[in-house]
Amino acid sequence: MALDPQLLEILACPDTHHAPLTYDADAQTLTCTQCGRIFEVRDDVPVLLLDEARGGPGQAS
């Protein structure tokens, strides 16, 4: 099951810049358009926790 398009419209990076996220349905990830952090989608639920994100400022992808 894919994420609801209306949900995707309102989701934003949880960091202070609150940039939009792009959804990769095949990889089941959301990527911040500003900082590049990658957030997993588990069981159709976006995990928007900075501590669990991959990549981004100062981190290796």
Side-chain angles (χ1 to χ4, degrees):
M1 178 186 238
L3 289 178
D4 185 318
Q6 288 180 323
L7 176 62
L8 291 173
E9 287 180 24
I10 62 171
L11 287 178
C13 182
D15 203 348
T16 56
H17 52 259
H18 304 294
L21 301 170
T22 56
Y23 179 50
D24 183 336
D26 293 331
Q28 287 294 290
T29 58
L30 293 159
T31 303
C32 178
T33 57
Q34 183 170 332
C35 68
R37 284 186 178 96
I38 300 168
F39 302 92
E40 289 188 34
V41 177
R42 297 182 196 143
D43 298 321
D44 298 323
V45 178
V47 181
L48 298 178
L49 301 172
L50 291 175
D51 290 344
E52 292 198 27
R54 293 178 297 180
Q59 294 181 8
S61 296

